[in-house]
Amino acid sequence: MKHILITRPEGKGAALAQQLEQAGYQASLYPVLKITYLTPTSVELSPLVNADKIIFVSQDAVHALNALKPAINTKAQFYGVGQQTADTIYEVFGVRAALPKQHDSEGLLALKSLADVDGSNIVLVKGIGGRPEITKTLKQRGAYLNNCVVYQREPVEPSSANWIDHWQSLNVHGIVITSNAAVDAIFNTITPAQLTWLQQCEFYVASERIGAYLQQQKINSTHIHTAAGASDHAMFTCINQQGSKMSEQSATPKAEKEAQPIAKNTSNTTKSDSAKANNQTQSTPQKVSKVGSVALVISLLVASGVGYEFYQKLNAGKVQNLAVNALTEQNKILQQELQTLKSEQLSLQQALLNSEEQIAMALNENSVKNQQALKAALQKVQQSGNTLNPQEVTSLQRMAEFKLWAEQDYSGTSAVLKRLDSLLSDHSGTLELRQAITQDIQTLDSIKPVATEAIYLQLNSVIKRIDDLVFNAVNLPEEASISDENALSEDVSDWQQNIRNSWNKIVDSFITIRHHEGVLIEPLLTDRERHLITQRIKLNITQAQDALMSKQASIYFNALNDTKRLVNEYFKQDDDATKVVIQTLANLEKESLNFNPQVTLQSTQQVKEWAQ
C-alpha cells in the first residue's frame, strides 16, 4: 500500500486524504506551512475602490482580504487562479469569477480578457513574494497594477530535518506539494542523506512552475508528476493515474516471465512425443496376411479416390493461379501508382521545405528589424528619461477626489496626493502641477478634526456638577430690640404727648416695621421650581451632546447658550462650583465645530489640462 504525505496548510488536506484512503492508499496529513494574515494600510487598500479587475491567487487571499472588510468595487471583473479560489470568491463576495482552463499563472495570463489591459486598473490580491510572473506580464501589457499583499506563508518549524526523519520512518512513497513556499520549507535545512531519500520519493505538484522549482532542488523530473491544478480532485486524479501506470509496468514483466517456461515445456513435450512415435514405428514387425491383402485392396481404392480428388484440385489450382496472376498484375499497377504518389509526396515535401526556408528567412528579417526598432526605442527612452503614464496620474487624482467627497477622509486624500507628488517628482515639466498638489496637501493637513470625544466628556462633567450648584437666596437680618418710644407719661402736663403716643400705638397695631440684625437666608424659589431649573439645565447639556454626535453645530451652540444663561440667573456667582461650570461652558463655546469644511482641490483642473 503506497503511503502519500499531504503537506498543505492545516485544514486543507482532509478531503484529499479521505479520497486517497477510499482508493486504497495510506494518507497522512503533515502541514509544513502556516498562514498569517497581514494588515495593509488604507492607502494600500484604496485601489480596490476604483479597480477594473481584481485577481485572487488563492483561497487564503480571499479570506484574508474579507477579514479586513475593505471598500471594494464589486462591479469589477473578478479572477480566481483555481476552481476552489473561484468558489470561495462567490461564497464571500457573491460574484462569479473568471477561471482559466489551466489552473496556474500561465493559464490565467492566457485568458482573452487579460490580453488587452492597457490602461486598466488591476489589483492583485496575494501573499508575500507570490506570483511575480503575473505582476511582470500585466505591467508589460500596459496595466496599472497594484499589489495588495494580505497574507504570508511561514514554515511551521524553523528546521525541516526532523520532518524528513519522521517521514522516512513512516515509509512515505509520495509527497503532495501545492506551492513554492512548501518546497522551500522542506528543502531549507536537510542533510545530504535526507536529500538522497527525497530523490527516491514521488512528488505530486499543482503546477509546472512548482515542478520546475523542485528540479532546482536536484529532484529528477521522472519523479515529478504535475496535476491539473491545486484542487483535491485534480491532485487525486494525478496520484491515482500515476499509481495505475506503475502497477501496469510492474505487472507486464512478471507475465512475460511466467509465459516463457510454459513455451519451453510445450516444445519439450512435442519432441518427446515424436520420439516415442518413431520408436514405436521402428519396433512394429512387418507381417503379410489375408487381412493385410484386403487392407491393401482397400488402400488402392482409397488411393484412386484420392488421386481423382487431387486431379480435381489440380484443375481448381490452375483457376486459382489465373486469379493470382490477375492479382499480381493489379499489384504491379498499384505499385506504379504508389511510386507516382511517392514522387508527388517528395515534390510536395521539397516545396514545403522551400516554403519553410522562405518563412525562416522572413522571420529572421523581421526579427532583425524588431531588434533594431527595439534598440532605437530604448535609446529614445534613455535619452528622454522614464515616460510618465497619464492614466496612472489621472487615476490617483480621481482616487483623491473620491476620498474627499464620498468618504470625507481628509488625511486619506492628503496621503493619495503625496503619493501622486512622489510619482511626478521624477519627471520634468510637472512643476506647475506639483505646486498645485502641494497647495492642496497643505490645505488638507491644516484641517483639524473635531475632538468629538473630548467635547462629549466635558459636557458629561458639566451634568455631574449641576447638582452641586448653590441657588441664589435673600439675606434677612435678625430683628433688633427697639425701645418703646410711645410709652405714656404719668405727668399731667404731658397730656398732649400722651395723646400722640396713644395715637402712634393705635397705628402700630395695623402697621409694624421690624428691624433685623445678622444673616437669615430665605430662598427666592420653591423646591419644585429649583428641581425644574436643574432638570432644564441637564436637558440642555444632553441636547448639546446629541447635536455634537449628529454634527449639528447650531443646535449645539444654542443649547450651551441657554445653559449658561440659566446658571448665571439662578445660581450664586461667587460659588466655586458655579465658577467651574461657567468656565467650562465658556471653553466649550470656543470650540470650532467645522464638521464639513468646504475644500476644493486646485490640482484637479491642473491634472485635466496636463493630461490633455
Side-chain angles (χ1 to χ4, degrees), residues 54 56 72-80 89 93 95-98:
I54 303 175
F56 293 90
I72 186 170
N73 182 19
T74 55
K75 295 182 179 179
Q77 175 65 61
F78 284 62
Y79 294 85
I89 291 172
F93 298 105
V95 178
R96 293 291 183 187

Side-chain angles (χ1 to χ4, degrees), residues 484-597:
D484 189 4
E485 296 178 354
N486 296 321
L488 298 177
S489 175
E490 294 180 355
D491 191 354
V492 177
S493 59
D494 294 332
W495 64 271
Q496 293 179 343
Q497 183 63 36
N498 288 334
I499 292 174
R500 283 196 294 270
N501 290 342
S502 298
W503 173 254
N504 288 335
K505 287 183 177 183
I506 294 171
V507 173
D508 286 343
S509 62
F510 293 98
I511 301 173
T512 302
I513 300 175
R514 298 177 180 177
H515 298 278
H516 297 270
E517 293 180 356
V519 179
L520 180 61
I521 300 176
E522 291 185 2
L524 295 175
L525 302 172
T526 63
D527 291 341
R528 183 174 181 276
E529 291 173 337
R530 286 185 294 172
H531 177 73
L532 291 175
I533 291 173
T534 302
Q535 294 302 316
R536 175 62 182 276
I537 293 175
K538 292 181 179 180
L539 180 61
N540 286 341
I541 299 299
T542 303
Q543 186 179 18
Q545 289 178 325
D546 294 339
L548 177 68
M549 301 308 295
S550 59
K551 298 183 179 181
Q552 296 177 342
S554 59
I555 297 176
Y556 169 84
F557 288 112
N558 287 337
L560 287 184
N561 188 32
D562 192 23
T563 301
K564 189 175 181 181
R565 178 185 62 79
L566 292 173
V567 172
N568 288 329
E569 183 175 349
Y570 291 103
F571 295 93
K572 292 183 66 175
Q573 302 299 305
D574 55 351
D575 186 71
D576 291 339
T578 305
K579 290 179 181 179
V580 172
V581 171
I582 292 176
Q583 184 61 39
T584 303
L585 293 174
N587 293 336
L588 290 172
E589 285 182 329
K590 295 178 182 178
E591 293 287 347
S592 177
L593 302 184
N594 191 4
F595 293 111
N596 298 311

Side-chain angles (χ1 to χ4, degrees), residues 21 45 120 168 328 355 420 489 548 576:
E21 290 176 352
L45 293 174
S120 299
Q168 194 170 0
T328 303
S355 300
L420 177 57
S489 175
L548 177 68
D576 291 339

Side-chain angles (χ1 to χ4, degrees), residues 299-316:
S299 299
L300 292 173
L301 292 174
V302 172
S304 62
V306 172
Y308 179 76
E309 184 178 358
F310 176 75
Y311 177 76
Q312 294 293 331
K313 289 182 178 180
L314 182 62
N315 292 332

Side-chain angles (χ1 to χ4, degrees), residues 110 213 241 406 412:
Y213 195 62
Q241 289 178 348

Side-chain angles (χ1 to χ4, degrees), residues 327 329-340:
L327 291 174
E329 293 296 328
Q330 291 179 358
N331 286 335
K332 290 180 180 179
I333 296 172
L334 290 174
Q335 287 178 356
Q336 292 175 357
E337 292 179 353
L338 181 60
Q339 291 295 332
T340 305

Side-chain angles (χ1 to χ4, degrees), residues 51-296:
D52 299 319
K53 303 177 186 293
I54 303 175
I55 302 173
F56 293 90
V57 302
S58 65
Q59 302 175 71
D60 295 317
V62 181
H63 290 304
L65 182 66
N66 184 53
L68 300 171
K69 303 297 181 184
I72 186 170
N73 182 19
T74 55
K75 295 182 179 179
Q77 175 65 61
F78 284 62
Y79 294 85
V81 175
Q83 182 64 55
Q84 292 179 333
T85 303
D87 294 340
T88 306
I89 291 172
Y90 182 72
E91 292 175 2
V92 173
F93 298 105
V95 178
R96 293 291 183 187
L99 180 67
K101 294 182 179 179
Q102 181 180 338
H103 297 170
D104 54 17
S105 300
E106 292 74 13
L108 179 75
L109 294 171
L111 290 174
K112 292 183 179 179
S113 56
L114 290 177
D116 185 11
V117 291
D118 188 15
S120 299
N121 293 325
I122 301 179
V123 178
L124 180 62
V125 186
K126 64 170 190 171
I128 291 179
R131 310 288 179 170
E133 63 278 5
I134 296 179
T135 302
K136 178 181 177 181
T137 303
L138 292 179
K139 283 187 175 181
Q140 290 176 348
R141 294 176 181 179
Y144 174 48
L145 188 71
N146 289 277
N147 289 321
C148 185
V149 181
V150 293
Y151 72 95
Q152 65 178 353
R153 292 187 176 99
E154 298 176 320
V156 176
E157 296 179 7
S159 175
S160 62
N162 295 332
W163 305 347
I164 310 301
D165 293 337
H166 180 62
W167 297 349
Q168 194 170 0
S169 66
L170 294 176
N171 194 23
V172 171
H173 299 89
I175 302 175
V176 175
I177 298 180
T178 57
S179 67
N180 284 348
V183 177
D184 291 332
I186 295 172
F187 288 85
N188 60 354
T189 57
I190 60 175
T191 64
Q194 291 172 338
L195 176 60
T196 301
W197 179 80
L198 285 172
Q199 288 173 340
Q200 298 174 1
C201 294
E202 302 294 326
F203 289 87
Y204 305 97
V205 299
S207 66
E208 294 180 356
R209 175 175 56 89
I210 302 174
Y213 195 62
L214 260 177
Q215 293 183 34
Q216 297 177 13
Q217 311 300 327
K218 301 181 181 179
I219 301 298
N220 196 308
S221 60
T222 57
H223 291 274
I224 300 173
H225 313 287
T226 305
S231 65
D232 293 335
H233 177 71
M235 297 305 302
F236 173 76
T237 302
C238 177
I239 296 170
N240 203 29
Q241 289 178 348
Q242 184 61 28
S244 300
K245 290 180 181 179
M246 293 180 66
S247 299
E248 292 175 1
Q249 292 174 358
S250 61
T252 302
K254 183 177 180 181
E256 292 176 354
K257 291 179 181 179
E258 292 176 353
Q260 289 175 358
I262 295 173
K264 291 180 180 179
N265 294 334
T266 303
S267 62
N268 293 333
T269 303
T270 304
K271 290 180 180 179
S272 62
D273 292 341
S274 61
K276 289 180 181 179
N278 292 332
N279 293 332
Q280 290 176 359
T281 305
Q282 292 175 1
S283 61
T284 303
Q286 297 181 354
K287 293 181 179 181
V288 180
S289 63
K290 293 180 179 181
V291 177
S293 300
V294 174
L296 180 61

